[in-house]
């Protein structure tokens, strides 16, 4: 919800939600909460969620949303 600066989705196994702040190309993710189901890929999800806290800005490049820490791309999301 852009007005409330909240997000929700799926972390790969569990439902997730949290807050973010946005200022031009700078983005910061606040506390992220999730359900606590156990899944075979839980380590991937744990890494994904902890990586969100390192993000400091974003870049949109074509169909890709790049979430970065300084100049390093930490996460890439592609529209299918």
């Amino acid at each position: 919800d852009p007005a409330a600066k909240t997000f929700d989705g799926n972390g790969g196994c569990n439902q997730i939600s949290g807050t973010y702040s946005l200022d031009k190309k700078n983005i910061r993710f606040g506390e992220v909460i999730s359900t606590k189901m156990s899944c075979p890929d839980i380590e991937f999800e744990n890494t994904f969620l902890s990586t969100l806290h390192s993000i400091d800005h974003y870049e949109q490049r074509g169909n890709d949303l790049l979430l970065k820490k300084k100049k390093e791309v930490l996460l890439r999301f592609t529209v299918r």
Side-chain angles (χ1 to χ4, degrees):
D1 178 5
K5 293 196 173 25
T6 60
F7 69 92
D8 57 41
N10 187 289
C13 174
N14 290 288
Q15 295 301 309
I16 63 171
S17 63
T19 60
Y20 66 91
S21 62
L22 191 61
D23 179 35
K24 298 181 185 175
K25 295 282 185 178
N26 298 319
I27 188 168
R28 296 277 185 184
F29 292 92
E31 184 179 355
V32 178
I33 59 172
S34 70
T35 56
K36 297 294 181 192
M37 297 188 310
S38 181
C39 301
D41 289 336
I42 197 67
E43 286 305 314
F44 168 82
E45 182 173 280
N46 289 339
T47 301
F48 168 70
L49 295 176
S50 67
T51 300
L52 285 178
H53 294 289
S54 301
I55 303 298
D56 60 15
H57 69 281
Y58 73 94
E59 176 184 339
Q60 185 176 353
R61 190 181 301 159
N63 287 338
D64 292 339
L65 173 63
L66 309 176
L67 297 180
K68 298 176 159 186
K69 180 179 183 179
K70 299 185 181 178
K71 294 184 179 186
E72 181 183 5
V73 175
L74 300 182
L75 296 169
R76 176 187 309 262
F77 298 94
T78 302
V79 175
R80 292 192 218 180

